[in-house]
Amino acid sequence: MTVDPRAYRDAIGHWATGVAVVTCQGPDGPAGLTTNAVSSVSLDPILLLVCFDNASRTLPAVRASGRFAVNILAEGQEDLAAVFASKRVQTEKFEAVTHRIEHGVPVLDDALAWIACDVAELHPAGDHTIGIGAVTHVHHLADDQGPPPLLFYRGRYVST
């Protein structure tokens, strides 16, 4: 049985996800992309999964650097998500947001949280590569600070 890709996309779109920007410090400077394919894998050891589109310009930078950060976006950061989802030159993406280098990776100043990882494994999976990161550092706002997370549902950003 063959499943129509559009039908699959519509069905999986009913799974609400958070939105994150994955960043790294590549050989040509900072690189980043928007994704909602992020998941906690394990607590012992602490591992995080991120899926990279094989055509992304960030994947080669992650391969070269061996590190990445997942920056969890807040409600109201839709424009920032759009910048990192675009095909803009990587340096232009980072001109759109204040950031700093922490533990060898760029982290976004206004993210709800960020998680820095060393690349533990990269696995080919169709038109994507599954990245498993060994978590090395984390930072998050206190529970009573900041807005709710940015969510993606049925092909668009939604409020909680």
Side-chain angles (χ1 to χ4, degrees):
M1 177 178 193
T2 302
V3 174
D4 174 63
R6 181 74 247 173
Y8 170 73
R9 199 169 185 170
D10 290 345
I12 199 66
H14 284 75
W15 175 251
T17 64
V19 180
V21 171
V22 176
T23 55
C24 73
Q25 188 66 27
D28 299 323
L33 58 81
T34 299
T35 188
N36 63 345
V38 175
S39 183
S40 177
V41 174
S42 170
L43 289 176
D44 186 18
I46 300 175
L47 300 173
L48 179 73
L49 175 149
V50 175
C51 293
F52 298 94
D53 186 318
N54 289 335
S56 110
R57 292 168 295 160
T58 301
L59 179 56
V62 167
R63 285 185 197 279
S65 71
R67 301 186 52 86
F68 64 87
V70 173
N71 299 268
I72 300 169
L73 299 187
E75 195 172 273
Q77 292 184 309
E78 294 87 342
D79 290 344
L80 181 60
V83 166
F84 279 89
S86 74
K87 296 298 182 190
R88 289 187 192 185
V89 175
Q90 294 289 1
T91 54
E92 290 178 15
K93 291 180 179 184
F94 283 88
E95 289 170 0
V97 63
T98 57
H99 64 283
R100 63 190 184 282
I101 302 295
E102 291 279 349
H103 310 290
V105 290
V107 296
L108 308 183
D109 288 346
D110 292 330
L112 287 178
W114 55 260
I115 303 166
C117 300
D118 288 336
V119 174
E121 300 174 46
L122 293 171
H123 300 280
D127 60 0
H128 280 65
T129 295
I130 299 168
I132 305 293
V135 176
T136 60
H137 297 86
V138 298
H139 172 78
H140 63 87
L141 297 178
D143 289 342
D144 61 346
Q145 293 181 328
L150 180 58
L151 298 178
F152 195 71
Y153 177 68
R154 295 176 66 188
R156 62 186 177 276
Y157 300 115
V158 295
S159 299
T160 55

